[in-house]
Amino acid sequence: MRAALAIVALGSVAVAVFVYDRMNVVNNQSTYIAGPVMSRMDALAAANMGTSDHRIIEYQHIVTTDPANMRGIETAITDQRASVAEDLDRYSQSEVSAEASAAYRQVREEWKTYLARSDAMLELSRANQNEEASAALLETDILFDQFSKRMAD
């Protein structure tokens, strides 16, 4: 009888140690997900949303003909660009795989190219060449979709 109780007690201790170990593993993994992984995901989501907001502001610039309003919109564009850059920098400072790092570099290059085209569009918009500015912005659709999809993946 004592031997049976000893076996049950020993089995219970073994199960408790195993459960404790598994709970510790789960805790460590959830802490990792809640920390660096979520931080990276948040940075990318914010950058992706920021690029979309930037594009909306560009359209506002095109439909505005008043120079004072344009200057205000250009301030918003500058602020939005700074916000996207901050989000991308926040992502770049996190630990990522080689594949994710390569995708990040590609997004950075595509965003840089997009901004150069955006600057050209803004010049046309400032001159109230709105049809040409709209056409210039529409020409960036494929590029915009590429880096937006890359950020979402």
Side-chain angles (χ1 to χ4, degrees):
M1 180 72 112
R2 286 187 177 196
L5 282 175
I7 291 172
V8 169
L10 187 57
S12 295
V13 169
V15 168
V17 168
F18 176 77
V19 168
Y20 177 78
D21 180 62
R22 294 293 94 200
M23 288 178 62
N24 194 30
V25 168
V26 168
N27 181 50
N28 290 340
Q29 291 299 316
S30 64
T31 301
Y32 173 72
I33 290 169
V37 172
M38 291 303 289
S39 177
R40 284 194 304 266
M41 290 173 62
D42 178 58
L44 274 183
N48 201 4
M49 182 63 73
T51 60
S52 295
D53 291 347
H54 181 272
R55 195 159 174 87
I56 291 167
I57 298 168
E58 289 173 319
Y59 279 111
Q60 290 174 341
H61 194 281
I62 291 171
V63 299
T64 300
T65 57
D66 179 56
N69 287 342
M70 284 184 184
R71 284 190 296 278
I73 292 170
E74 287 178 20
T75 298
I77 287 172
T78 300
D79 292 346
Q80 194 61 43
R81 287 179 179 189
S83 177
V84 169
E86 182 180 306
D87 293 329
L88 290 174
D89 287 344
R90 191 164 45 106
Y91 176 81
S92 73
Q93 294 168 3
S94 62
E95 294 178 22
V96 294
S97 67
E99 180 182 338
S101 185
Y104 164 77
R105 286 191 299 277
Q106 186 68 33
V107 165
R108 205 49 149 176
E109 285 304 311
E110 289 168 346
W111 177 240
K112 184 178 174 184
T113 300
Y114 180 88
L115 291 179
R117 291 183 183 177
S118 173
D119 289 342
M121 178 279 303
L122 288 171
E123 288 299 320
L124 293 168
S125 182
R126 280 186 203 107
N128 284 320
Q129 296 175 348
N130 296 336
E131 287 183 30
E132 293 86 351
S134 290
L137 190 57
L138 288 174
E139 288 174 6
T140 64
D141 281 354
I142 292 172
L143 180 62
F144 181 83
D145 290 343
Q146 282 174 340
F147 68 75
S148 289
K149 182 178 181 328
R150 201 177 313 277
M151 281 192 281
D153 288 345

